Amino acid sequence: MSPTGERPHDTLPPDDKDWTWVLDRVCPECVADVRTFPITDVGTMIRDNAAAWAEVLSGDPEVLRVRTRADRWSPLEYACHVRDVYELYDRRLTLMLEEDGPSYPNWDQDATAVEQDYAAGDPAAVADQLVRNAEALASRFDEVTGDHWARTGYRSDGASFTVETFARYLIHDPIHHLWDVRANGPERRDG
């Protein structure tokens, strides 16, 4: 802790970007193109991503806690975020499938990271939770068929999604964060 009592991991600038643009074009950083995959593959993509995160989290716990750039979380913090994204999106998907045009409550990912002290997490426990949350979400997507892909939901800022665009938007997040970790890992400190 610093002399003021603030932990270094509390000071990451918030991500205030509206990432919905990934529905219209290739991400220039991670080069994910979420427009092109068969939508019924999203469950498999979630499971594959979770397996990659479990592999990342099998590394040295101290290395997993290191931020190599001032504007990036550590691998462990990103993994905690992805774990929570999978859980949150499972709840949101359930709303979309069970209610007509639901609005999702706002989620402050940066506040959650601080409140839950992502940096202090146990990597093995986070890996287990991430894989479990991913499986729950992937299984729910596996059950979506036909017209259900066109059901709608709304983010608190008014952004509108169908289940299909919701799935495409979602999958970019864990893919991008895996890229963040791999592209900015300890061997890439020059950033």
Side-chain angles (χ1 to χ4, degrees):
M1 286 202 185
S2 73
T4 64
E6 183 178 56
R7 291 187 321 269
H9 287 13
D10 293 345
T11 60
L12 188 69
D15 181 0
D16 56 2
K17 295 179 194 169
D18 178 1
W19 287 89
T20 55
W21 57 263
V22 301
L23 295 171
D24 299 319
R25 61 186 186 271
V26 174
C27 179
E29 294 178 343
C30 71
V31 299
D33 186 352
V34 301
R35 303 166 300 173
T36 59
F37 67 86
I39 196 58
T40 54
D41 288 354
V42 72
T44 299
M45 294 171 73
I46 291 168
R47 289 180 185 96
D48 290 348
N49 179 267
W53 278 106
E55 183 179 326
V56 166
L57 290 169
S58 69
D60 181 336
E62 292 312 309
V63 172
L64 292 171
R65 288 183 173 82
V66 173
R67 287 185 178 174
T68 59
R69 290 178 46 163
D71 64 339
R72 299 280 197 263
W73 279 334
S74 69
L76 178 58
E77 290 170 302
Y78 275 121
C80 289
H81 169 74
V82 169
R83 171 201 63 198
D84 291 352
V85 163
Y86 282 145
E87 180 180 34
L88 175 72
Y89 275 69
D90 189 29
R91 289 195 310 263
R92 289 179 175 180
L93 177 58
T94 299
L95 282 174
M96 292 177 77
L97 295 173
E98 294 179 355
E99 297 180 16
D100 290 331
S103 293
Y104 322 127
N106 190 36
W107 180 53
D108 186 333
Q109 65 186 19
D110 300 305
T112 301
V114 173
E115 290 164 8
Q116 292 189 13
D117 197 8
Y118 282 179
D122 171 34
V126 171
D128 289 344
Q129 295 158 355
L130 188 155
V131 168
R132 187 171 48 248
N133 292 353
E135 181 55 39
L137 178 58
S139 294
R140 194 164 322 279
F141 273 120
D142 288 345
E143 295 170 3
V144 176
T145 59
D147 292 345
H148 286 95
W149 287 107
R151 293 185 61 84
T152 58
Y154 302 90
R155 204 167 56 188
S156 61
D157 65 358
S160 173
F161 295 93
T162 63
V163 170
E164 179 175 348
T165 60
F166 178 80
R168 292 182 187 285
Y169 175 76
L170 152 77
I171 199 62
H172 173 260
D173 191 78
I175 289 171
H176 191 96
H177 292 321
L178 195 58
W179 173 85
D180 281 324
V181 166
R182 290 176 172 164
N184 298 295
E187 67 282 354
R188 297 284 312 265
R189 286 182 191 256
D190 60 336

